[in-house]
Amino acid sequence: GQALGRRDDRDGVALAGMVRFQPVRRLCSAAIQAPAERPELSVRQRLKQISVDPELLRRIQKLGLGRAGTRLLPHASQLRQLGDRVLGRVSLIKSGKSVAELPKSITAELALAGRSNVGKSSLLNAMVGKRTGNTNTRGLAPVQNKPGVTRTLNLYSNSPKGARLVDMPGYGFAFAEPSMVAGWQEAMRRYVTERGSGLRVLLLLDARQSLRQADREFLLLIDREAKVPFHVAMTKCDLVDVTELAKRYVMVRESLDELNLQHMRRPLHMVSSRTGAGVIELRNKLAADMPPDWIKAISGESAPSVNGGSGEQRVAKDEGAKKLSKKAKKYNKLLASLAVEEEIESEREKHLAPWEKQALQEEVVSLSRKQKIEQKKQKAAEDFQKRLRFETWLQRQKKRLPVLTNSQRAKASAKRRK
Ligand SMILES: Nc1nc2c(ncn2[C@@H]2O[C@H](COP(=O)(O)OP(=O)(O)OP(=O)(O)O)[C@@H](O)[C@H]2O)c(=O)[nH]1
Ligand SMILES: [Mg+2]
């Protein structure tokens, strides 16, 4: 069939032959003019001029971002574990074509915005610890590799009255009827301008691309018209080389600075929903900017790291790795239950009678409960390390063994019997 669409920026050049162009409809009001992209230098030329800041590079590497970066399994399993434990069951509570169809905003809402296909739904899934990827049924918000998948405003939460994450349709080019695209863009525009003081926006930019005209217009819409506090994050950071990512980061930051945005929170974030890198850090930063109950609902406590501290653990993506991640999950579960015990313990201490407190302090001989928990934790970490070493060793041994057919195997055992 013939694909119809509208586009209001320079994206989708390859699709130009298939697309029927429509006149640009601005996201922000006519009074606000978005400054055009710098015409004098190409993006490549600008990138060349940027020198890489070693501090920034270190930060990128530490977060496990960048193409050369690792598949950091702990990130993914930590997120999943956090998702289950901290958030409870996050689910879709309401989906609407316009603001009028949505329940009133009771508490805080964080809405994900960005151009179509930038990875909004994927990041929402990653933030609540659901797996993402194409044709993935386990994720929460539907994800596909084509612009224009999400077409309604979708509220997700772990309780009907709790804080929410909102998956929005994108702006810019999309594979859909122009009238439909115009409809959902208007709904999104009204949502951000009318939702009220509980709203925060998380604007996503593709790490492989520079700021587009549509992005500028949306930024100006939320900054000057809606006056909504917002964060900006670069997504798909697993698809760009580390040094290029650092340069693009600087470039995007410069472009944002040029717009003189009043309501933007700093710093500019970087994430990859695919590997999970940077997602926990992003969530913690967001939590610091949200009302208290959002913090409770979305961020929880800082994530336990799988190998007991350093947090980085490179595991090859093969069958062995899958098994290991199961182990990692188990270990995480244990840590989580210990954390709960600890929480209860500290809560209990608060409510002790003075004489009980004194008795506790004088208790020298037997170990306190806290110490016992510490010991258990250490033991669990050690066991896990041992197990991990053993598993990798086993994988290596298995690879060395020759693959035998049944008859060869029979012959070999007959020989042995002789
Ligand atoms: N490599 C990589 N791919 C990603 C990442 N995030 C999203 N994607 C892919 O990008 C494509 C689009 O993702 P979506 O989450 O559907 O994007 P969206 O912004 O919700 O798109 P619309 O709903 O159409 O506006 C999918 O193929 C995802 O798998 C990422 O961090 N890394
Ligand atoms: Mg989507």
Side-chain angles (χ1 to χ4, degrees):
Q2 192 197 6
L4 296 174
R6 54 186 287 116
R7 52 176 244 169
D8 54 3
D9 54 27
R10 294 207 258 119
D11 193 28
V13 177
L15 301 163
M18 305 161 65
V19 176
R20 197 171 71 198
F21 295 110
Q22 296 281 316
V24 174
R25 189 175 165 178
R26 291 188 169 273
L27 279 164
C28 61
S29 78
I32 297 166
Q33 288 290 318
E37 256 178 274
R38 280 192 218 175
E40 65 274 15
L41 284 180
S42 74
V43 173
R44 282 278 146 213
Q45 283 168 327
R46 278 177 74 188
L47 278 176
K48 246 188 191 170
Q49 285 180 356
I50 296 169
S51 56
V52 184
D53 174 11
E55 190 51 45
L56 181 59
L57 264 183
R58 230 169 289 137
R59 197 176 127 208
I60 289 171
Q61 277 159 345
K62 204 174 146 213
L63 287 173
L65 294 158
R67 181 154 42 198
T70 43
R71 294 226 157 236
L72 289 171
L73 282 176
H75 280 133
S77 64
Q78 269 173 24
L79 276 170
R80 243 168 281 141
Q81 189 253 338
L82 266 181
D84 294 343
R85 192 168 111 56
V86 181
L87 293 159
R89 267 228 195 112
V90 175
S91 56
L92 178 68
I93 51 170
K94 180 79 190 169
S95 149
K97 280 204 174 111
S98 68
V99 196
E101 290 177 23
L102 300 177
K104 270 193 185 162
S105 177
I106 304 162
T107 45
E109 280 179 0
L110 179 77
L112 287 119
R115 295 189 324 131
S116 297
N117 208 45
V118 74
K120 299 176 290 296
S121 307
S122 306
L123 183 61
L124 187 143
N125 290 336
M127 285 209 290
V128 300
K130 298 282 177 189
R131 229 198 245 171
T132 60
N134 288 332
T135 65
N136 173 20
T137 46
R138 291 220 278 166
L140 203 58
V143 167
Q144 266 183 54
N145 194 9
K146 78 176 189 206
V149 176
T150 311
R151 298 177 172 196
T152 47
L153 299 158
N154 303 296
L155 308 190
Y156 294 89
S157 183
N158 54 355
S159 80
K161 290 193 173 177
R164 298 162 187 154
L165 282 166
V166 185
D167 192 16
M168 296 205 290
Y171 49 78
F173 170 78
F175 277 109
E177 288 284 345
S179 60
M180 259 184 106
V181 181
W184 81 52
Q185 290 196 351
E186 179 59 17
M188 185 194 60
R189 209 187 68 80
R190 289 192 59 177
Y191 173 82
V192 293
T193 43
E194 292 172 12
R195 196 56 170 166
S197 62
L199 181 68
R200 300 279 187 281
V201 170
L202 173 59
L203 176 70
L204 303 185
L205 301 169
D206 192 320
R208 298 166 298 177
Q209 291 161 359
S210 46
L211 216 63
R212 300 293 171 94
Q213 192 64 16
D215 294 318
R216 288 170 213 271
E217 282 181 14
F218 185 79
L219 278 163
L220 292 175
L221 168 76
I222 51 177
D223 192 66
R224 309 278 154 82
E225 252 178 73
K227 299 188 168 47
V228 179
F230 63 96
H231 291 254
V232 184
M234 291 166 71
T235 57
K236 305 195 184 182
C237 288
D238 56 303
L239 297 177
V240 188
D241 284 332
V242 176
T243 33
E244 174 158 353
L245 182 60
K247 288 183 170 190
R248 287 206 173 261
Y249 182 88
V250 174
M251 201 168 80
V252 168
R253 207 171 45 189
E254 276 175 6
S255 304
L256 290 169
D257 285 345
E258 275 168 18
L259 290 175
N260 191 20
L261 301 161
Q262 304 298 311
H263 299 274
M264 185 180 133
R265 303 286 196 247
R266 282 175 177 79
L268 170 64
H269 308 283
M270 284 175 278
V271 285
S272 162
S273 312
R274 186 150 296 171
T275 63
V279 176
I280 291 180
E281 289 76 6
L282 170 67
R283 268 178 29 164
N284 289 342
K285 278 272 157 55
L286 289 172
D289 187 36
M290 298 295 283
D293 81 318
W294 201 87
I295 298 176
K296 239 202 274 165
I298 307 294
S299 94
E301 58 281 287
S302 64
S305 78
V306 171
N307 55 358
S310 79
E312 294 209 5
Q313 174 193 332
R314 207 183 276 242
V315 187
K317 205 195 169 203
D318 58 9
E319 254 187 76
K322 245 190 214 161
K323 272 186 209 153
L324 289 183
S325 94
K326 255 189 196 166
K327 300 247 159 54
K329 245 198 235 166
K330 235 184 193 172
Y331 173 67
N332 271 335
K333 241 186 193 164
L334 177 70
L335 273 192
S337 68
L338 288 171
V340 173
E341 269 183 54
E342 241 169 337
E343 230 172 70
I344 295 172
E345 204 48 46
S346 69
E347 197 56 34
R348 186 178 288 152
E349 263 170 37
K350 275 187 216 154
H351 300 289
L352 287 178
W355 64 268
E356 283 175 312
K357 269 187 199 161
Q358 208 178 349
L360 258 183
Q361 276 164 10
E362 282 165 6
E363 192 180 48
V364 235
V365 188
S366 72
L367 284 172
S368 73
R369 281 208 191 89
K370 245 189 187 157
Q371 278 170 314
K372 272 186 201 158
I373 288 172
E374 267 319 303
Q375 276 190 352
K376 263 198 224 171
K377 231 191 222 174
Q378 255 181 16
K379 176 110 192 353
E382 276 165 22
D383 284 353
F384 179 74
Q385 279 300 309
K386 262 190 216 160
R387 196 74 228 175
L388 195 72
R389 255 177 267 136
F390 173 70
E391 285 304 328
T392 30
W393 175 83
L394 200 67
Q395 287 298 326
R396 229 176 278 142
Q397 299 306 314
K398 272 188 190 161
K399 270 185 204 149
R400 269 195 215 152
L401 289 177
V403 182
L404 295 175
T405 62
N406 278 347
S407 62
Q408 281 171 327
R409 205 168 283 144
K411 257 188 209 166
S413 62
K415 226 183 195 176
R416 231 179 290 136
R417 252 178 269 136
K418 274 183 203 167

